[in-house]
């Protein structure tokens, strides 16, 4: 407090029950389509990687849907996520640092473009909610704060959710009785 409280109040509208309810059909569609793709790949005799073929594409698609990014490159978003995480958490040589910094700049430019579009053309999406958020006393996110929040939603939501789904897939693959119980219910 008080900055966290101010930002949290401004973000509340983006996470409203109405916004979440609006996303339910799209999330159901994303899961169904991705499940069909994975099933078709398996039926064709190909090995499925639960993280690369399911968890990462699922989380990226849902986050992009939530934010309102209709046109996105999932592979690029995954690369941006790795670059941001590498800049934060691990030792890098100079070449890696420069390459990751370029990717982080690409991500920033992409987000800024999305946000400038929503400033001029508001939509029914989370980016518009953040760009146009106001508190009762007239408080507003700065453009930089909004960019930072969108970046955090893309990166943090992507990695943590994909890891959680990967853990779930591991549990289901190594505990057949539990998998059967879910299948039967």
């Amino acid at each position: 407090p008080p900055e966290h409280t101010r930002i949290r109040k401004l973000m509340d509208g983006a996470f409203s029950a109405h916004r979440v309810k609006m996303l339910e059909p799209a999330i159901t569609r994303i899961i169904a389509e991705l499940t069909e793709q994975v099933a078709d790949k398996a039926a064709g005799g190909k090995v499925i990687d639960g993280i690369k073929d399911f968890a990462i594409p699922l989380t990226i698609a849902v986050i992009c849907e939530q934010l309102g990014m209709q046109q996105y490159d999932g592979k690029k978003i995954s690369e941006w996520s790795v670059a941001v995480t590498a800049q934060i958490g691990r030792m890098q040589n100079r070449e890696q640092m420069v390459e990751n910094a370029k990717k982080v700049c690409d991500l920033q430019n992409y987000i800024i473009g999305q946000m400038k579009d929503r400033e001029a053309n508001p939509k029914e999406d989370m980016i518009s909610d953040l760009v146009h958020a106001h508190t009762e006393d007239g408080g507003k996110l700065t453009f930089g704060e909004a960019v930072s929040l969108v970046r955090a939603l893309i990166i943090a939501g992507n990695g943590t959710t994909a890891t959680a789904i990967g853990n779930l897939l591991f549990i289901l693959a190594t505990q057949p009785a539990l998998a059967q119980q879910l299948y039967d219910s």
Side-chain angles (χ1 to χ4, degrees), residues 60-185:
I60 289 172
V62 170
I63 289 167
C64 289
E65 183 71 34
Q66 183 176 21
L67 291 169
M69 296 183 206
Q70 302 305 317
Q71 302 293 322
Y72 66 90
D73 180 339
K75 183 176 182 241
K76 190 160 284 285
I77 290 173
S78 186
E79 289 173 4
W80 290 336
S81 296
V82 170
V84 168
T85 304
Q87 295 291 69
I88 294 169
R90 72 165 214 216
M91 298 297 292
Q92 305 170 74
N93 63 35
R94 183 172 176 12
E95 292 78 30
Q96 291 170 323
M97 191 180 335
V98 169
E99 187 57 36
N100 286 328
K102 288 178 185 176
K103 290 177 182 176
V104 172
C105 287
D106 287 345
L107 169 62
Q108 289 288 105
N109 288 329
Y110 177 77
I111 292 169
I112 289 168
Q114 293 286 315
M115 293 183 65
K116 294 265 184 205
D117 176 61
R118 298 318 188 289
E119 278 183 327
N121 308 298
K123 300 177 182 173
E124 280 291 319
D125 62 27
M126 188 178 283
I127 292 176
S128 294
D129 290 346
L130 293 172
V131 168
H132 298 284
H134 287 84
T135 57
E136 288 118 26
D137 64 356
K140 181 177 176 10
L141 291 170
T142 67
F143 191 80
E145 288 171 334
V147 169
S148 180
L149 289 170
V150 171
R151 183 184 62 233
L153 290 167
I154 291 171
I155 304 306
N158 175 9
T160 55
T161 306
T163 299
I165 292 169
N167 289 337
L168 172 65
L169 294 173
F170 176 78
I171 289 168
L172 293 175
T174 58
Q175 298 182 27
L178 179 59
Q180 187 62 46
Q181 182 180 0
L182 287 173
Y183 182 79
D184 292 340
S185 60

Side-chain angles (χ1 to χ4, degrees), residues 32-43:
E33 288 174 358
L34 190 55
T35 301
E36 286 179 23
Q37 289 173 14
V38 169
D40 288 348
K41 188 175 178 181

